């Protein structure tokens, strides 16, 4: 079962890589057609894995960088969910204490 999940994840990654590479290829073709040599040369000089290249005003990201960013955002989301759950339980506890000891505080005037 784990092997099947690994293959599915690898297939997703390869599809993402393919999509990014197709977009980069199309942008390069557009750049060449527009005879925009400065942007084309700067794209060839930069390392696509380390730098984000801007070609034709579009941001080209490395698929590995995208996966890292998605994983970081996923981890932040999990942290936020944990903090929210903790805060909800804290507020519930406070409200329960108020309802037990002094419920008139919660009543409208």
């Amino acid at each position: 079962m784990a092997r099947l999940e690994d293959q599915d994840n690898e297939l997703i990654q390869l599809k993402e890589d393919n999509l990014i590479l197709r977009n980069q290829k199309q942008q390069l073709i557009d750049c060449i057609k527009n005879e925009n040599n400065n942007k084309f040369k700067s794209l060839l000089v930069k390392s696509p894995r380390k730098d984000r290249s801007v070609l034709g005003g579009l941001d080209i990201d490395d698929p590995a960088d995208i996966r890292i960013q998605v994983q970081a955002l996923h981890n932040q989301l999990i942290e936020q969910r944990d903090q929210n759950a903790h805060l909800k339980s804290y507020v519930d506890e406070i409200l329960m204490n108020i309802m037990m000891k002094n419920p008139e505080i919660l009543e409208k005037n």
Side-chain angles (χ1 to χ4, degrees):
M1 197 66 159
R3 183 174 178 223
L4 184 59
E5 288 177 16
D6 290 342
Q7 288 176 344
D8 287 343
N9 288 338
E10 187 176 348
L11 180 63
I12 290 169
Q13 289 177 355
L14 290 173
K15 284 182 179 182
E16 289 173 358
D17 292 347
N18 191 21
L19 181 64
I20 296 294
L21 290 173
R22 284 177 192 248
N23 288 339
Q24 288 175 341
K25 176 186 163 194
Q26 186 59 47
Q27 289 171 353
L28 285 172
I29 290 171
D30 292 344
C31 186
I32 291 170
K33 285 180 182 178
N34 293 333
E35 297 177 356
N36 195 345
N37 291 330
N38 291 336
K39 289 182 183 177
F40 181 69
K41 287 179 185 176
S42 69
L43 179 66
L44 292 178
V45 171
K46 290 185 179 181
S47 170
R49 292 254 178 226
K50 294 182 181 175
D51 299 322
R52 284 186 176 178
S53 302
V54 177
L55 182 61
L58 298 174
D59 208 7
I60 301 171
D61 289 323
D62 181 26
D65 291 340
I66 293 172
R67 281 189 285 282
I68 291 169
Q69 291 172 356
V70 167
Q71 185 62 38
L73 290 173
H74 180 70
N75 291 340
Q76 288 176 354
L77 178 62
I78 291 171
E79 264 183 49
Q80 285 294 318
R81 285 182 180 166
D82 291 344
Q83 288 176 355
N84 285 344
H86 177 72
L87 289 173
K88 281 181 182 180
S89 67
Y90 176 73
V91 169
D92 286 344
E93 183 181 326
I94 296 295
L95 285 174
M96 290 301 290
N97 285 336
I98 291 172
M99 287 171 46
M100 296 286 206
K101 294 179 181 175
N102 200 358
E104 56 272 352
I105 291 175
L106 299 175
E107 293 177 3
K108 269 189 168 179
N109 290 338

